[in-house]
Amino acid sequence: MSLSTDTLSARNLFQSEHGFWIFLSCLPKFGARRQQAILEQIPDFQQLLTHNAATLKALGLAAETIDALQAWRRQDSAHPVIASADGIYRDCLRTGTAILTIADADYPEPLRHIHDGPLVLYVRGDRSLLGREQIGIVGSRNATRAGLEHARSFAAALGQKGLLVTSGLALGVDGAAHAGALDAGFPTVAVIGNGVDKPYPYRHRTLSERIAGEGVIVSEYPPGTSAKAGHFPRRNRIISGLSRGILVVEAGLKSGSLITARLALEQGREVFAIPGSVHNPLARGCHHLIRQGAKLVETVDDICEELGGWWTSQNEGDSSSVIMKRPATEGLDSREIAVLEALGYDPQSTDDLCSVTGLPADQLMQSLLLLELQGLVDSAPGGFQRIG
């Protein structure tokens, strides 16, 4: 008796080295926080398949999640979660999309060290480039001519310094950065918020083809996924997660680039910003970042000097051991250091902090805001607490 195409496809999914990870990425109620909670109790996700329903429930998994895991154990190709994963797998085969999972040796090491790194990446182009040291360049979609030129020239100069330029393929600064690197003869990484088989924005379809041919396009969204507004903040955390630092070229005060900068700080990356005219509204975001502690950048050397001592390689030549580390107090003024040292890991009220530090309330709040932007402090019921 012959097997149907769907059955054959499902068998390939179960037998594929990537099938289980695609399935995990489709699991309901299995987001980053739940994944982290699970890994605190078991060494790896593969062990989920060895436990019965009662144990899975004790681990904190929802009924829908447990049901799908048990269906995988039965190799039930009709289960909706498995059918969805199977569809993704077939789309990858059909479009020639490479699959890169967190279990693969060449999964980008920096992404392993962020709390919400994607389980699966979908790749078009040279995946080996993802292991190179990278610098993110982001900025306004409506950049000025000067901003576009800055993006192009910095991308080219960073390439000459051996840093791979990473951006989001958006109009404006992103596209100029990608083009600047390519025109100077260097590859570039585009992290997108849609399937790698669907060029977006359409005006960048030619640039997208260049990047796929000379660099790499990567997404956590499977082939066929259309761009949606909610995808881009999640895309931004991958741009910053892959990068040693983020350079903001031009940005308004409400720009999505400031989200990327905030994510970079949360991930322990450095943030750089190019200053501009006080009359340019697209310089205000950069000026805001500089006031909050971002490195003011005039030349590529400013970036290279700042990055030089912050990244160490535990094993020379092993890209999987590249880790960023900086002291919590580095770059802080004495006032912020005093506030940080006064804080504990339990919430403290602003009244108590004023009493301990001797600072007026307005100065204390300014310091707390800066520390919060640096990812060292967080607000909590009852006040503020140290997190870094």
Side-chain angles (χ1 to χ4, degrees):
M1 183 176 66
S2 63
L3 296 171
S4 70
T5 302
D6 286 346
T7 302
L8 285 171
S9 178
R11 279 197 172 182
N12 289 337
L13 176 73
F14 293 124
Q15 295 166 2
S16 166
E17 61 180 320
H18 297 130
F20 176 67
W21 297 97
I22 297 174
F23 163 73
L24 283 186
S25 72
C26 295
L27 274 181
K29 298 186 178 181
F30 197 65
R33 290 185 179 180
R34 178 59 54 206
Q35 292 169 23
Q36 289 298 316
I38 292 298
L39 289 178
E40 289 174 3
Q41 302 174 78
I42 62 175
D44 62 70
F45 291 129
Q46 295 278 359
Q47 285 204 355
L48 291 173
L49 299 178
T50 67
H51 296 308
N52 59 29
T55 303
L56 294 173
K57 184 176 180 180
L59 288 172
L61 292 178
E64 301 96 314
T65 314
I66 295 171
D67 178 64
L69 285 166
Q70 291 182 316
W72 179 271
R73 290 176 64 181
R74 298 192 305 269
Q75 297 197 0
D76 180 4
S77 59
H79 190 280
V81 175
I82 295 176
S84 177
D86 180 46
I88 292 171
Y89 181 68
R90 284 187 290 170
D91 284 342
C92 289
L93 294 177
R94 176 179 55 81
T95 61
T97 300
I99 303 167
L100 181 60
T101 78
I102 200 167
D104 291 325
D106 58 343
Y107 183 90
E109 191 66 19
L111 287 186
R112 297 184 191 275
H113 298 280
I114 66 174
H115 80 279
D116 54 354
L119 295 176
V120 181
L121 292 169
Y122 300 95
V123 181
R124 185 177 176 216
D126 184 359
R127 64 191 279 170
S128 70
L129 294 172
L130 296 173
R132 293 257 308 266
E133 293 184 355
Q134 300 168 44
I135 184 84
I137 297 182
V138 297
S140 173
R141 286 175 169 80
N142 301 302
T144 65
R145 182 178 298 179
L148 296 175
E149 181 52 39
H150 285 324
R152 294 181 65 91
S153 62
F154 269 83
L158 286 164
Q160 291 173 347
K161 295 289 187 179
L163 285 165
L164 201 64
V165 168
T166 299
S167 196
L169 198 56
L171 299 174
V173 165
D174 289 19
H178 290 306
L182 292 171
D183 290 345
F186 303 107
T188 182
V189 177
V191 184
I192 61 176
N194 50 279
V196 297
D197 61 324
K198 295 178 72 70
Y200 180 86
Y202 188 69
R203 282 166 54 185
H204 276 171
R205 61 193 183 280
T206 301
L207 177 60
S208 179
E209 289 301 315
R210 285 190 68 192
I211 296 172
E214 303 173 46
V216 62
I217 303 175
V218 61
S219 176
E220 68 178 315
Y221 298 101
T225 305
S226 298
K228 295 180 181 178
H231 292 176
F232 294 104
R234 293 189 58 77
R235 172 206 64 179
N236 293 347
R237 89 190 193 287
I238 298 179
I239 294 174
S240 56
L242 284 169
S243 303
R244 292 178 58 169
I246 292 291
L247 171 64
V248 182
V249 176
E250 278 188 338
L253 287 173
K254 296 184 178 180
S255 170
S257 300
L258 299 192
I259 297 176
T260 309
R262 175 178 59 79
L263 291 168
L265 288 172
E266 291 175 356
Q267 295 166 346
R269 276 58 171 165
E270 180 56 44
V271 175
F272 307 96
I274 298 175
S277 167
V278 296
H279 302 294
N280 178 10
L282 293 180
R284 291 175 185 168
C286 292
H287 294 167
H288 171 77
L289 290 172
I290 291 168
R291 285 194 295 270
Q292 302 304 322
K295 173 75 172 181
L296 187 153
V297 168
E298 294 176 320
T299 70
V300 164
D301 287 339
D302 295 328
I303 296 174
C304 294
E305 289 171 7
E306 198 74 12
L307 290 176
W310 284 10
W311 281 61
T312 59
S313 178
Q314 297 173 348
N315 297 296
E316 190 67 29
D318 180 5
S319 64
S320 68
S321 64
V322 177
I323 304 171
M324 173 180 282
K325 187 68 176 176
R326 64 169 176 171
T329 58
E330 185 169 336
L332 299 179
D333 291 336
S334 58
R335 191 175 75 185
E336 280 69 53
I337 292 174
V339 173
L340 187 63
E341 291 177 346
L343 279 165
Y345 292 94
D346 294 318
Q348 296 186 57
S349 70
T350 53
D351 288 342
D352 288 343
L353 289 171
C354 283
S355 176
V356 172
T357 62
L359 292 173
D362 60 336
Q363 293 184 20
L364 174 69
M365 293 308 297
Q366 290 174 10
S367 295
L368 286 170
L369 175 60
L370 186 147
L371 292 169
E372 191 170 3
L373 288 170
Q374 293 276 7
L376 300 174
V377 165
D378 197 9
S379 59
F384 290 83
Q385 64 186 26
R386 183 170 178 168
I387 59 174

